[in-house]
Amino acid sequence: MSKVRKAVIPAAGFGTRFLPATKAMPKEMLPVVDKPTIQYIVEEAIASGIEEILIITGKNKRAIEDHFDHSVELELELEKKGKTELLELVNSISDMVDIHYIRQKEAKGLGHAIYCAKTFVGDEPFAVLLGDDIVYTEDTPCLKQMINCYDDYETSVLGVQTVKQEDVSKYGIVDGKQLADNVYSVNGLVEKPAMEEAPSNVAILGRYIINPAIFDILKDTEPGKGGEIQLTDALKELALQEDMVAYDFEGKRYDVGDKLGFLEATVETALRRDDLREDFLTYLEKIVEKETVQNIK
Ligand code: UTP
């Protein structure tokens, strides 16, 4: 059985929901407290055992590449000032893992972005983590949970959670049958269906493990919803050719590319940080007189 060693992080979308911040900077660089979104995702991939990462970048790719590269001037400056902890922090980012980059010349959709990873992936199963979806977990990272599921079923795995019925039109929705506690078999998929047409409320949420057979399908996938080449359409075709499962992962997922999702991620991440929790909670309690804030740990 092949091991899942490679991960692809698409980060070439326009991020129109977050304009003007995303005019000259990819949304994947939006900081959640003090770390860019994409670094949380790279860290999740590494903690899940991924050895090589390909980031699909768009026209504003510099910031992402620079972030994961050495910054000689900054390192010298920190060294001169004796700021050893910060120096270690900055160095650790560039030493994290082997990161490759490829440019998607035109943002033709997520399916097209993944097709750009064909040569990097070769003939092995690979993980996809969307560059703007953070999943917070207390124990096992989200991708690791999915790799465990892949090891059990030896076939493509979609990361899913149930969403509110009125939200189904924001996601790729699974038509499936429950196989085990957290696992469904995938019979069909629909990209962003209208509420009354959705086969379920089981939604794909930014994490995938995909067999390389997807590339032959993506090659001929026509633009779908929104005029974009949709990964969901290609996965639907793959599910006709071979078994596919959906795994209901444990964890809190944030859509950082959405304004409200970004705010939730920021507030809850700050509340989980020992260095910020107390002061931030005092501040929040002052402005929001509701007990719910107390329950975020
Ligand atoms: P989204 O649909 O969330 O990204 O794609 P978007 O199109 O940038 O968002 P809005 O709606 O305009 O705000 C999910 C992921 O796929 C990447 C995005 O960067 C994001 O990480 N993506 C999307 C690409 O890499 N290329 C594309 O052509 C489209």
Side-chain angles (χ1 to χ4, degrees), residues 1 33 37 43 64 69 78 88 143 149 155 163-164 181 188 196 239 250 274 285:
M1 189 183 66
V33 182
T37 301
E43 286 173 359
I64 298 181
D69 198 359
L78 292 173
E88 276 169 26
L143 183 63
C149 178
T155 192
V163 296
K164 284 190 273 177
D181 251 1
E196 37 316 331
E250 263 164 48
D274 290 342
E285 280 169 343

PDB file of all heavy atoms in Angstrom, residues 1 33 37 43 64 69 78 88 143 149 155 163-164 181 188 196 239 250 274 285:
ATOM      1  N   MET A   1       0.831  -1.203   0.000  1.00  0.00           N
ATOM      2  CA  MET A   1       0.000   0.000   0.000  1.00  0.00           C
ATOM      3  C   MET A   1       0.877   1.268   0.000  1.00  0.00           C
ATOM      4  O   MET A   1       1.878   1.319   0.705  1.00  0.00           O
ATOM      5  CB  MET A   1      -0.872   0.004   1.264  1.00  0.00           C
ATOM      6  CG  MET A   1      -1.913   1.082   1.243  1.00  0.00           C
ATOM      7  SD  MET A   1      -2.844   1.115   2.784  1.00  0.00           S
ATOM      8  CE  MET A   1      -1.598   1.590   3.942  1.00  0.00           C
ATOM      9  N   VAL A  33      -3.970  35.799  14.671  1.00  0.00           N
ATOM     10  CA  VAL A  33      -3.163  36.296  15.788  1.00  0.00           C
ATOM     11  C   VAL A  33      -1.797  36.741  15.235  1.00  0.00           C
ATOM     12  O   VAL A  33      -1.689  37.868  14.788  1.00  0.00           O
ATOM     13  CB  VAL A  33      -3.066  35.308  16.962  1.00  0.00           C
ATOM     14  CG1 VAL A  33      -2.251  35.918  18.111  1.00  0.00           C
ATOM     15  CG2 VAL A  33      -4.466  34.959  17.483  1.00  0.00           C
ATOM     16  N   THR A  37      -2.174  32.301   7.947  1.00  0.00           N
ATOM     17  CA  THR A  37      -3.064  31.136   7.813  1.00  0.00           C
ATOM     18  C   THR A  37      -2.331  29.926   7.235  1.00  0.00           C
ATOM     19  O   THR A  37      -2.433  28.810   7.741  1.00  0.00           O
ATOM     20  CB  THR A  37      -4.236  31.532   6.891  1.00  0.00           C
ATOM     21  OG1 THR A  37      -4.887  32.627   7.505  1.00  0.00           O
ATOM     22  CG2 THR A  37      -5.207  30.402   6.703  1.00  0.00           C
ATOM     23  N   GLU A  43       1.949  23.429   9.075  1.00  0.00           N
ATOM     24  CA  GLU A  43       2.248  22.733  10.339  1.00  0.00           C
ATOM     25  C   GLU A  43       1.368  21.497  10.523  1.00  0.00           C
ATOM     26  O   GLU A  43       1.821  20.470  11.010  1.00  0.00           O
ATOM     27  CB  GLU A  43       2.089  23.702  11.530  1.00  0.00           C
ATOM     28  CG  GLU A  43       3.242  24.692  11.592  1.00  0.00           C
ATOM     29  CD  GLU A  43       3.077  25.797  12.637  1.00  0.00           C
ATOM     30  OE1 GLU A  43       2.041  25.836  13.329  1.00  0.00           O
ATOM     31  OE2 GLU A  43       3.989  26.634  12.741  1.00  0.00           O
ATOM     32  N   ILE A  64       4.240  34.527   0.049  1.00  0.00           N
ATOM     33  CA  ILE A  64       4.232  33.149   0.561  1.00  0.00           C
ATOM     34  C   ILE A  64       5.643  32.562   0.478  1.00  0.00           C
ATOM     35  O   ILE A  64       6.162  32.006   1.452  1.00  0.00           O
ATOM     36  CB  ILE A  64       3.238  32.264  -0.229  1.00  0.00           C
ATOM     37  CG1 ILE A  64       1.818  32.799  -0.064  1.00  0.00           C
ATOM     38  CG2 ILE A  64       3.321  30.817   0.225  1.00  0.00           C
ATOM     39  CD1 ILE A  64       0.749  31.985  -0.784  1.00  0.00           C
ATOM     40  N   ASP A  69      11.015  31.215   3.390  1.00  0.00           N
ATOM     41  CA  ASP A  69      12.432  31.265   3.023  1.00  0.00           C
ATOM     42  C   ASP A  69      13.217  31.949   4.159  1.00  0.00           C
ATOM     43  O   ASP A  69      12.624  32.537   5.059  1.00  0.00           O
ATOM     44  CB  ASP A  69      12.550  32.085   1.725  1.00  0.00           C
ATOM     45  CG  ASP A  69      13.875  31.847   1.032  1.00  0.00           C
ATOM     46  OD1 ASP A  69      14.705  31.077   1.560  1.00  0.00           O
ATOM     47  OD2 ASP A  69      14.074  32.445  -0.038  1.00  0.00           O
ATOM     48  N   LEU A  78      18.238  40.395  14.288  1.00  0.00           N
ATOM     49  CA  LEU A  78      17.805  39.754  15.535  1.00  0.00           C
ATOM     50  C   LEU A  78      19.020  39.238  16.311  1.00  0.00           C
ATOM     51  O   LEU A  78      19.074  39.323  17.542  1.00  0.00           O
ATOM     52  CB  LEU A  78      16.828  38.603  15.241  1.00  0.00           C
ATOM     53  CG  LEU A  78      15.453  39.014  14.679  1.00  0.00           C
ATOM     54  CD1 LEU A  78      14.654  37.781  14.278  1.00  0.00           C
ATOM     55  CD2 LEU A  78      14.652  39.837  15.686  1.00  0.00           C
ATOM     56  N   GLU A  88      15.211  32.134  16.710  1.00  0.00           N
ATOM     57  CA  GLU A  88      14.880  30.702  16.580  1.00  0.00           C
ATOM     58  C   GLU A  88      13.526  30.513  15.906  1.00  0.00           C
ATOM     59  O   GLU A  88      13.356  29.651  15.045  1.00  0.00           O
ATOM     60  CB  GLU A  88      14.843  30.031  17.957  1.00  0.00           C
ATOM     61  CG  GLU A  88      16.223  29.605  18.410  1.00  0.00           C
ATOM     62  CD  GLU A  88      16.247  29.184  19.871  1.00  0.00           C
ATOM     63  OE1 GLU A  88      15.196  28.756  20.386  1.00  0.00           O
ATOM     64  OE2 GLU A  88      17.327  29.305  20.482  1.00  0.00           O
ATOM     65  N   LEU A 143      -5.555  16.108   9.174  1.00  0.00           N
ATOM     66  CA  LEU A 143      -5.047  15.303   8.051  1.00  0.00           C
ATOM     67  C   LEU A 143      -4.581  13.929   8.519  1.00  0.00           C
ATOM     68  O   LEU A 143      -4.756  12.938   7.813  1.00  0.00           O
ATOM     69  CB  LEU A 143      -3.905  16.046   7.328  1.00  0.00           C
ATOM     70  CG  LEU A 143      -3.376  15.316   6.100  1.00  0.00           C
ATOM     71  CD1 LEU A 143      -4.454  15.164   5.035  1.00  0.00           C
ATOM     72  CD2 LEU A 143      -2.159  16.009   5.517  1.00  0.00           C
ATOM     73  N   CYS A 149      -7.673   6.904   8.138  1.00  0.00           N
ATOM     74  CA  CYS A 149      -8.833   6.368   7.415  1.00  0.00           C
ATOM     75  C   CYS A 149      -8.381   5.798   6.066  1.00  0.00           C
ATOM     76  O   CYS A 149      -8.828   4.726   5.654  1.00  0.00           O
ATOM     77  CB  CYS A 149      -9.872   7.480   7.238  1.00  0.00           C
ATOM     78  SG  CYS A 149     -11.315   6.957   6.303  1.00  0.00           S
ATOM     79  N   THR A 155      -8.331   3.892  -0.145  1.00  0.00           N
ATOM     80  CA  THR A 155      -8.938   4.580  -1.287  1.00  0.00           C
ATOM     81  C   THR A 155      -9.087   6.067  -0.967  1.00  0.00           C
ATOM     82  O   THR A 155      -8.847   6.473   0.172  1.00  0.00           O
ATOM     83  CB  THR A 155     -10.298   3.922  -1.611  1.00  0.00           C
ATOM     84  OG1 THR A 155     -10.733   4.411  -2.867  1.00  0.00           O
ATOM     85  CG2 THR A 155     -11.349   4.208  -0.563  1.00  0.00           C
ATOM     86  N   VAL A 163     -23.101  20.188   8.060  1.00  0.00           N
ATOM     87  CA  VAL A 163     -23.301  21.638   8.187  1.00  0.00           C
ATOM     88  C   VAL A 163     -24.802  21.904   8.284  1.00  0.00           C
ATOM     89  O   VAL A 163     -25.615  21.014   8.013  1.00  0.00           O
ATOM     90  CB  VAL A 163     -22.705  22.400   6.970  1.00  0.00           C
ATOM     91  CG1 VAL A 163     -21.204  22.229   6.911  1.00  0.00           C
ATOM     92  CG2 VAL A 163     -23.347  21.965   5.648  1.00  0.00           C
ATOM     93  N   LYS A 164     -25.142  23.145   8.645  1.00  0.00           N
ATOM     94  CA  LYS A 164     -26.565  23.497   8.735  1.00  0.00           C
ATOM     95  C   LYS A 164     -27.186  23.415   7.340  1.00  0.00           C
ATOM     96  O   LYS A 164     -26.533  23.768   6.347  1.00  0.00           O
ATOM     97  CB  LYS A 164     -26.730  24.925   9.274  1.00  0.00           C
ATOM     98  CG  LYS A 164     -26.482  24.999  10.773  1.00  0.00           C
ATOM     99  CD  LYS A 164     -26.878  26.352  11.322  1.00  0.00           C
ATOM    100  CE  LYS A 164     -25.770  27.298  11.221  1.00  0.00           C
ATOM    101  NZ  LYS A 164     -25.570  28.532  11.470  1.00  0.00           N
ATOM    102  N   ASP A 181     -18.739   4.468  12.163  1.00  0.00           N
ATOM    103  CA  ASP A 181     -19.004   5.637  12.991  1.00  0.00           C
ATOM    104  C   ASP A 181     -18.813   6.976  12.272  1.00  0.00           C
ATOM    105  O   ASP A 181     -19.697   7.795  12.223  1.00  0.00           O
ATOM    106  CB  ASP A 181     -18.075   5.595  14.212  1.00  0.00           C
ATOM    107  CG  ASP A 181     -18.888   5.286  15.445  1.00  0.00           C
ATOM    108  OD1 ASP A 181     -20.115   5.095  15.279  1.00  0.00           O
ATOM    109  OD2 ASP A 181     -18.306   5.221  16.546  1.00  0.00           O
ATOM    110  N   GLY A 188     -22.157   9.783  -4.795  1.00  0.00           N
ATOM    111  CA  GLY A 188     -22.191  10.923  -5.705  1.00  0.00           C
ATOM    112  C   GLY A 188     -21.798  12.189  -4.970  1.00  0.00           C
ATOM    113  O   GLY A 188     -21.673  12.191  -3.737  1.00  0.00           O
ATOM    114  N   GLU A 196     -32.824  22.771  -1.600  1.00  0.00           N
ATOM    115  CA  GLU A 196     -33.815  21.715  -1.867  1.00  0.00           C
ATOM    116  C   GLU A 196     -33.260  20.600  -2.753  1.00  0.00           C
ATOM    117  O   GLU A 196     -33.826  19.529  -2.840  1.00  0.00           O
ATOM    118  CB  GLU A 196     -35.132  22.261  -2.402  1.00  0.00           C
ATOM    119  CG  GLU A 196     -35.273  23.434  -3.348  1.00  0.00           C
ATOM    120  CD  GLU A 196     -34.469  24.706  -3.134  1.00  0.00           C
ATOM    121  OE1 GLU A 196     -34.114  25.049  -1.974  1.00  0.00           O
ATOM    122  OE2 GLU A 196     -34.186  25.367  -4.143  1.00  0.00           O
ATOM    123  N   ALA A 239     -15.344   8.829  -8.265  1.00  0.00           N
ATOM    124  CA  ALA A 239     -16.174   7.961  -7.411  1.00  0.00           C
ATOM    125  C   ALA A 239     -16.946   6.937  -8.244  1.00  0.00           C
ATOM    126  O   ALA A 239     -17.371   5.907  -7.721  1.00  0.00           O
ATOM    127  CB  ALA A 239     -17.141   8.806  -6.577  1.00  0.00           C
ATOM    128  N   GLU A 250     -12.721  14.986  13.417  1.00  0.00           N
ATOM    129  CA  GLU A 250     -12.944  15.744  14.644  1.00  0.00           C
ATOM    130  C   GLU A 250     -12.117  17.010  14.595  1.00  0.00           C
ATOM    131  O   GLU A 250     -10.941  16.955  14.231  1.00  0.00           O
ATOM    132  CB  GLU A 250     -12.507  14.911  15.850  1.00  0.00           C
ATOM    133  CG  GLU A 250     -13.668  14.190  16.490  1.00  0.00           C
ATOM    134  CD  GLU A 250     -13.194  13.098  17.406  1.00  0.00           C
ATOM    135  OE1 GLU A 250     -12.297  13.356  18.229  1.00  0.00           O
ATOM    136  OE2 GLU A 250     -13.730  11.980  17.262  1.00  0.00           O
ATOM    137  N   ASP A 274      -1.896  30.750  25.833  1.00  0.00           N
ATOM    138  CA  ASP A 274      -1.604  31.055  27.232  1.00  0.00           C
ATOM    139  C   ASP A 274      -1.143  32.493  27.429  1.00  0.00           C
ATOM    140  O   ASP A 274      -1.457  33.129  28.424  1.00  0.00           O
ATOM    141  CB  ASP A 274      -0.509  30.105  27.756  1.00  0.00           C
ATOM    142  CG  ASP A 274      -1.036  28.695  27.883  1.00  0.00           C
ATOM    143  OD1 ASP A 274      -2.273  28.528  27.904  1.00  0.00           O
ATOM    144  OD2 ASP A 274      -0.205  27.755  27.936  1.00  0.00           O
ATOM    145  N   GLU A 285     -14.809  40.286  27.966  1.00  0.00           N
ATOM    146  CA  GLU A 285     -15.886  40.321  28.964  1.00  0.00           C
ATOM    147  C   GLU A 285     -16.375  41.746  29.186  1.00  0.00           C
ATOM    148  O   GLU A 285     -17.543  41.986  29.450  1.00  0.00           O
ATOM    149  CB  GLU A 285     -15.426  39.679  30.262  1.00  0.00           C
ATOM    150  CG  GLU A 285     -15.495  38.168  30.172  1.00  0.00           C
ATOM    151  CD  GLU A 285     -14.811  37.465  31.335  1.00  0.00           C
ATOM    152  OE1 GLU A 285     -14.008  38.114  32.048  1.00  0.00           O
ATOM    153  OE2 GLU A 285     -15.080  36.273  31.511  1.00  0.00           O
TER     154      GLU A 285
END
